Amino acid sequence: MDLPQPRGPISTSVVEHLRDPSPSTEERLQSALRDPRPGITDDEDRLLALWLLQGLSYHGYTDVDPDLEWDLPAVGARVRLEEELQRELLDVALPVVEQLLPEAREDLTTTLFSLPDRVAADAPSISAWARSSMTIDQWREMLVLRSASQLKEADPHTFAIPRVPGAAKVALMEIQFDEYGSGDPGAMHSELYGEAMAAVGLNRSYGGYADAWPAPVLLANVALGWLAGRRRWAPAVVGHLTMVEMTSSLPSKFYVAGARRLGLPEAAWRYFDEHVEADAAHEQVAVRDVCGPLVAQDPRSLPTLLVGAVVGLSVEAAVAEQAMGAWHQGRSCLRAPLRPWAAA
């Protein structure tokens, strides 16, 4: 993908360094990072800078040297920004985790199944809005918001496979095998999502709408990138994935209903239809066959697993709040509205 437009001094310095790694761009990058500012979780400049740096380990960028993935100034900038992100996310997550720990030690399964209603109970539901009231313009915007995650679906969570032991590893691979199409490249969930975007006139290339993603979308992505990129947080990746699977089946059913209400072709909703049954099964595997054995083998992993679950629910709630707030006000939830779709 092409590098997106910077949104401030730090993302500008990252883009400059990726285009031309040199002592001068390294110095500008270090200088930009010296500015201590609180609030990275809603700072588009730093969130985009971190997303750019994490992207070196996934998709890379046009005309950017792949070896910059391990460029010391780039790695140092990523570590510094992720440490800022970690401090702020843990400030929110740890008090919740401390309350959950006693009951989770007694009954992990029940605790995990209760988390969405306890952590994100007040978050608005985009899927319910899709079923009842979403316009075609909002449907397209919803796909753009989700494209940051769904067009590389499964990839961040896969980083946990070599980092979790025994039975948990095997069950995690079972989930990921399904995510990657069960051996059929055309059935990969990321591929189905690309088809859904193309069916309503959207660019299906990963990062094609990076300039339009608002801060909460970047936050949700870099939060998972932080967890997935560090071995010590592997149980948190498992907790994050568990919440994704647990909060997907029924909303996917609502999205299918919304797409049919809008008269969209099957290609526009096949991705969601696939997740109605798949994630109903995956949530059981994630809770009982991944989380359970992982914590049984290493009880010290429980707090970390819960951190991932709470962080995942919290950042996704922020995406929903931003989008629904904009739509209720009759405006676009993107940084720049999409061009109208000239549907056949």
Side-chain angles (χ1 to χ4, degrees):
M1 60 169 288
D2 294 333
L3 287 165
Q5 292 297 312
R7 302 188 191 182
I10 297 178
S11 53
T12 296
S13 65
V14 168
V15 168
E16 289 176 347
H17 185 70
L18 294 182
R19 285 178 172 156
D20 178 26
S22 65
S24 60
T25 58
E26 177 184 347
E27 174 55 33
R28 286 196 291 273
L29 176 58
Q30 296 300 326
S31 177
L33 289 168
R34 290 190 195 107
D35 178 19
R37 289 178 290 168
I40 187 175
T41 55
D42 58 5
D43 183 344
E44 289 193 347
D45 181 27
R46 282 181 289 171
L47 290 173
L48 178 62
L50 180 51
W51 181 83
L52 287 167
L53 293 165
Q54 290 179 346
L56 293 169
S57 296
Y58 288 95
H59 40 75
Y61 306 98
T62 305
D63 298 327
V64 172
D65 186 347
D67 286 340
L68 286 177
E69 178 184 3
W70 295 106
D71 172 71
L72 290 180
V75 171
R78 173 176 173 173
V79 169
R80 181 162 181 167
L81 291 169
E82 285 185 341
E83 287 177 346
E84 291 182 33
L85 182 71
Q86 175 177 308
R87 283 193 297 270
E88 294 187 19
L89 290 178
L90 291 183
D91 282 346
V92 174
L94 286 180
V96 179
V97 170
E98 289 174 1
Q99 292 180 348
L100 293 170
L101 274 174
E103 61 186 88
R105 291 190 176 106
E106 291 292 325
D107 188 344
L108 177 60
T109 298
T110 299
T111 301
L112 289 174
F113 277 116
S114 73
L115 278 189
D117 288 335
R118 297 168 66 174
V119 175
D122 296 331
S125 171
I126 295 180
S127 62
W129 180 254
R131 181 180 61 169
S132 65
S133 307
M134 185 176 281
T135 66
I136 184 60
D137 291 335
Q138 292 168 351
W139 177 272
R140 297 174 77 232
E141 289 191 0
M142 176 272 294
L143 291 178
V144 168
L145 292 178
R146 293 176 57 115
S147 68
S149 298
Q150 262 58 65
L151 285 179
K152 62 175 183 181
E153 184 170 353
D155 290 348
H157 295 122
T158 298
F159 275 81
I161 290 175
R163 297 168 173 172
V164 298
K169 185 194 300 285
V170 174
L172 178 57
M173 288 190 66
E174 177 185 341
I175 294 174
Q176 297 303 85
F177 184 66
D178 285 350
E179 298 289 347
Y180 290 123
S182 300
D184 178 3
M188 291 174 59
H189 291 181
S190 56
E191 178 68 17
L192 296 179
Y193 197 84
E195 292 177 1
M197 295 184 72
V200 291
L202 294 172
N203 176 5
R204 61 179 295 168
S205 300
Y206 185 77
Y209 295 99
D211 288 327
W213 294 334
V217 169
L218 293 172
L219 172 61
N221 279 265
V222 298
L224 178 54
W226 152 59
L227 298 174
R230 303 196 180 198
R231 181 172 58 86
R232 67 158 294 190
W233 291 106
V237 178
V238 169
H240 185 288
L241 174 62
T242 300
M243 292 302 106
V244 170
E245 303 296 351
M246 195 175 294
T247 58
S248 178
S249 180
L250 183 59
S252 292
K253 188 174 183 178
F254 289 172
Y255 281 122
V256 172
R260 286 173 165 166
R261 177 181 59 81
L262 290 168
L264 298 178
E266 182 180 353
W269 50 263
R270 187 183 299 119
Y271 166 88
F272 298 102
D273 194 47
E274 167 69 17
H275 283 71
V276 174
E277 291 189 9
D279 288 354
H282 287 174
E283 72 173 17
Q284 297 292 330
V285 175
V287 172
R288 303 180 191 279
D289 299 333
V290 184
C291 294
L294 176 60
V295 173
Q297 182 162 345
D298 181 10
R300 295 171 300 176
S301 68
L302 177 57
T304 309
L305 185 149
L306 292 175
V307 164
V310 172
V311 165
L313 291 169
S314 299
V315 296
E316 289 300 330
V319 173
E321 288 166 1
Q322 187 273 339
M324 293 297 297
W327 292 336
H328 281 311
Q329 294 175 16
R331 57 183 178 83
S332 171
C333 70
L334 303 177
R335 297 182 74 247
L338 299 171
R339 293 179 180 178
W341 178 38

